[in-house]
Amino acid sequence: MNILIYTETREGSFKKQGFELISYAKALSGMTGGEVISLAIGEIFDEELKKAADYGASRIIALEADQLPDNRNLSKLLIQWIKQANAQVILFADNNTGKAIAPFVAAGLKAGIATGITGLPEKTDPFIVTRKIYSGKALAKIQVKSHYKILLLAANTFGIKNDPVVPVIERHNIEAEYFESPNKIISTEKQTGKILLGEAEIVVSAGRGMKSPDNWGSIEELAQILGAATACSRPVSDEGWRPHGEHVGQTGKVINPNIYFAFGISGAIQHVAGISGSKVIVAVNKDHEAPIFNVADYGIVGDVNQVLPKMIEAARKIKTE
Amino acid sequence: MKILVCISNVPDTTTKIVIGADDKNINTAGIQWIINPWDELALTRALELKDAGKISEVVVANVGTAITEATLRKSLATGADRAIRVNTEPADAWTVASNLSEVVKNEPFDIILCGIESSDHNGSSVGGLLAGMLDLNFISSVSGLDIENEKLTVQREIDGEKEILETQGPVLLVIQKGIAIVPRIPSMRGIMQARTKPLQIVEATSSESMTETVQVTLPPEKGKCKMIDAENAGEVIRLLREEAKVL
């Protein structure tokens, strides 16, 4: 079974999760046999393209484009290359892009799709993967019955593993028809340099216990020192203290960082659902009975605005050592 | 312009999950069913657009058994004009999307709205599958929608990046948070009216599925939380590095 990975690009480089996907595919190929093929669409530098081989991609394909085709055309382009590469397992990142395109691709290939998977298949014949349901309140073993199998791997759940191979690198152009679209882009507002919440290894998150949006300076300061992304609980985003994109929980983002800091978050069941994939959870709350302590690994009972300066000081110290 | 909002019937988000006797489903005893939160926001926006005179009809559709009718009635009570239920117990997103695609083939819509995911299976697949099956233009991660002279202005938001697009129907929009802020709730008058609004039941045309749930389990329990004195809060940073080895 050849495995094809859709590796997203950003400003000429692979998005970080691409390497995790390739690592996963390489390990999976140990079970299924077949080739590990990475496919990037967009602008990507030569030096960057080669890196895919460090993690096990033996065929590296880049389809060059100044800007991406629209969702429908991007999906069709992928279907064309999946067939060309004779791939049977197709791997996407479990993020907004993967979730947008993978189902359309699945419709075209008549493929079963498993989103939010967190590990290798239990077995490949039948093909059984485990995925989270109810935002992590339960786990489901899913059999993908179709010939083509589409998997979306949750970030930070497999890790990046060096496994270098000698690759074949190809660059191709995209036919002009793929850039025709009924959608006209009027404006884009890019964000650069920011650590993406979905990919972050460390997340510093806060809730209503902060008392006021004016107190977020210390959350951002701690995040900046640790190289972390910032997040928040639902009431905080509902009240407009923080943008919706930062909302973590059952109806927000589901994340799997190595460390999740919860400052002034009580730990409602919907919030916990979104963070249960975290390796280590640190909770600070003034209420010692707050449910967040039931899922935390380290807990501090106290006022967040008094605890934060101490943690900032300790973090700064450890980072300059 | 006619709009279709695809509705998923899900357990209330505060539900504590208990595994069912067959180990393949959850135990649904005592569960409070609600409109999937993203679908509810999509419906809210559709109704706002109708109030503004930009949409002529709002139709809701669901693929499910009779148990989902309370949710469809609630959608009608909130303001939807009529409802369609495709009568089957869907096995996976493929079954849902293929049955919805038949609904749309029988009755074209200018705009189709699907929530970005359902809060039960978190598949995030139905919208894209439906667009793929119909070979329809689709826009994902939509956080804003307006209509002016049949022209749609769509806002997308991904990882803090914003994009404004212009398009026209037919189009399928995959809806995320931000499309509407507060979900609309039914008024007493709405509830009375909903009783007489059409709720059409159609038989499923397909029961084909691509995936099958083999087993459902609860995640392993967490170990005990290690408490650290607030006066000594900096200690946590050291423990993260030396004990947990994650920093």
Side-chain angles (χ1 to χ4, degrees):
Chain A
M1 280 188 210
N2 286 349
I3 304 167
L4 184 137
I5 309 129
Y6 175 51
T7 44
E8 292 171 56
T9 61
R10 197 179 191 220
E11 291 158 14
S13 301
F14 285 115
K15 278 199 189 170
K16 198 187 102 200
Q17 211 199 333
F19 300 135
E20 186 179 24
L21 293 172
I22 297 168
S23 302
Y24 179 93
K26 178 68 174 155
L28 179 59
S29 73
M31 302 171 77
T32 58
E35 206 179 356
V36 175
I37 305 156
S38 73
L39 177 79
I41 302 172
E43 281 182 309
I44 185 149
F45 307 128
D46 280 332
E47 281 311 300
E48 185 70 15
L49 206 50
K50 280 184 208 154
K51 287 185 191 164
D54 295 347
Y55 309 97
S58 55
R59 183 176 174 200
I60 302 169
I61 306 169
L63 307 181
E64 293 178 66
D66 301 335
Q67 69 175 70
L68 290 179
D70 72 14
N71 284 345
R72 178 165 60 160
N73 283 324
L74 188 57
S75 305
K76 288 183 175 181
L77 188 57
L78 279 167
I79 291 170
Q80 183 198 324
W81 278 89
I82 290 160
K83 288 183 173 164
Q84 194 268 6
N86 199 19
Q88 203 177 329
V89 180
I90 303 101
L91 208 55
F92 290 88
D94 189 60
N95 60 16
N96 283 310
T97 306
K99 285 175 185 168
I101 296 159
F104 197 107
V105 173
L109 295 173
K110 218 176 170 192
I113 177 167
T115 56
I117 60 163
T118 55
L120 288 169
E122 180 181 292
K123 46 186 165 186
T124 55
D125 189 20
F127 198 96
I128 294 178
V129 286
T130 300
R131 56 183 300 268
K132 289 181 181 183
I133 54 173
Y134 298 94
S135 307
K137 287 192 220 167
L139 302 168
K141 278 186 189 172
I142 304 286
Q143 182 188 344
V144 184
K145 300 186 288 187
S146 47
H147 171 78
Y148 291 105
K149 299 156 203 324
I150 297 186
L151 309 178
L152 279 74
L153 180 72
N156 288 328
T157 55
F158 188 77
I160 297 173
K161 288 159 194 169
N162 257 304
D163 194 350
V165 292
V166 179
V168 176
I169 299 179
E170 310 164 28
R171 280 187 185 271
H172 302 274
N173 293 316
I174 302 171
E175 292 93 327
E177 65 191 65
Y178 284 106
F179 294 99
E180 290 165 11
S181 175
N183 310 326
K184 197 171 112 200
I185 297 171
I186 303 300
S187 70
T188 43
E189 214 177 278
K190 296 255 181 221
Q191 264 198 351
T192 49
K194 197 171 178 246
I195 295 162
L196 303 176
L197 178 54
E199 290 189 345
E201 287 174 15
I202 305 175
V203 173
V204 179
S205 185
R208 238 183 335 206
M210 297 299 293
K211 293 194 185 82
S212 156
D214 303 335
N215 293 332
W216 246 263
S218 48
I219 293 295
E220 277 165 359
E221 190 179 355
L222 181 62
Q224 199 240 328
I225 296 165
L226 296 173
T230 52
C232 69
S233 66
R234 177 175 169 168
V236 162
S237 70
D238 277 357
E239 279 175 39
W241 290 8
R242 301 295 294 177
H244 281 295
E246 283 201 0
H247 166 203
V248 164
Q250 190 162 4
T251 56
K253 279 203 172 64
V254 174
I255 55 170
N256 307 282
N258 291 339
I259 312 175
Y260 182 79
F261 289 93
F263 290 100
I265 294 176
S266 63
I269 188 165
Q270 300 100 317
H271 185 77
V272 169
I275 61 164
S276 59
S278 308
K279 291 191 183 70
V280 176
I281 295 173
V282 179
V284 180
N285 203 292
K286 66 177 183 337
D287 176 9
H288 70 98
E289 284 181 352
I292 190 79
F293 291 120
N294 298 333
V295 295
D297 299 276
Y298 297 105
I300 296 172
V301 178
D303 184 291
V304 284
N305 292 315
Q306 283 163 22
V307 166
L308 264 162
K310 294 193 175 75
M311 285 179 49
I312 287 168
E313 192 193 323
R316 191 169 275 134
K317 200 164 148 238
I318 214 163
K319 284 289 170 186
T320 51
E321 266 172 18
Chain B
M1 284 189 120
K2 253 166 58 173
I3 203 163
L4 177 71
V5 186
C6 301
I7 299 280
S8 190
N9 179 60
V10 298
D12 182 274
T13 52
T14 56
T15 305
K16 189 173 189 302
I17 300 298
V18 178
I19 306 297
D22 63 354
D23 276 348
K24 291 185 181 183
N25 291 286
I26 62 160
N27 183 345
T28 54
I31 282 183
Q32 174 92 28
W33 298 94
I34 60 165
I35 304 176
N36 177 43
W38 291 274
D39 303 345
E40 191 178 31
L41 292 173
L43 175 61
T44 300
R45 185 61 192 147
L47 295 170
E48 286 169 1
L49 288 167
K50 193 186 170 209
D51 291 348
K54 295 169 176 179
I55 291 283
S56 54
E57 191 180 26
V58 177
V59 180
V60 291
N62 164 268
V63 178
T65 59
I67 194 176
T68 71
E69 280 195 10
T71 291
L72 285 175
R73 284 280 172 217
K74 190 186 166 194
S75 307
L76 294 172
T78 312
D81 296 295
R82 59 192 168 90
I84 301 167
R85 178 170 71 81
V86 184
N87 185 34
T88 186
E89 174 76 62
D92 71 349
W94 185 276
T95 329
V96 175
S98 54
N99 281 294
L100 286 173
S101 75
E102 289 303 316
V103 169
V104 178
K105 279 177 199 160
N106 287 330
E107 183 188 354
F109 289 87
D110 302 290
I111 304 169
I112 301 172
L113 305 183
C114 291
I116 198 165
E117 67 176 274
S118 64
S119 60
D120 51 1
H121 292 283
N122 312 123
S124 302
S125 307
V126 170
L129 278 171
L130 181 55
M133 288 169 180
L134 296 165
D135 192 17
L136 201 59
N137 178 33
F138 80 110
I139 301 174
S140 61
S141 300
V142 171
S143 59
L145 169 64
D146 212 341
I147 303 169
E148 214 63 67
N149 304 322
E150 311 268 301
K151 199 189 276 175
L152 275 65
T153 306
V154 175
Q155 178 175 300
R156 303 178 72 206
E157 246 174 284
I158 295 183
D159 294 327
E161 300 194 353
K162 273 187 199 162
E163 192 173 72
I164 311 274
L165 300 159
E166 262 178 21
T167 192
Q168 67 269 333
V171 63
L172 186 148
L173 306 176
V174 178
I175 302 298
Q176 64 167 336
K177 288 200 132 193
I179 188 88
I181 303 306
V182 183
R184 192 175 285 198
I185 49 167
S187 63
M188 192 44 86
R189 192 162 157 259
I191 293 167
M192 299 300 284
Q193 283 174 339
R195 290 181 188 164
T196 54
K197 282 182 179 172
L199 195 163
Q200 182 193 356
I201 297 161
V202 296
E203 283 311 313
T205 49
S206 163
S207 58
E208 197 180 21
S209 65
M210 296 297 139
T211 61
E212 189 179 317
T213 302
V214 181
Q215 192 187 19
V216 174
T217 54
L218 293 179
E221 291 259 342
K222 267 283 206 178
K224 216 171 174 303
C225 181
K226 190 173 199 165
M227 299 308 289
I228 293 134
D229 192 70
E231 289 304 308
N232 203 11
E235 171 74 358
V236 128
I237 301 290
R238 188 189 68 80
L239 289 167
L240 286 171
R241 171 162 287 188
E242 292 172 14
E243 189 178 81
K245 297 188 168 49
V246 283
L247 193 64

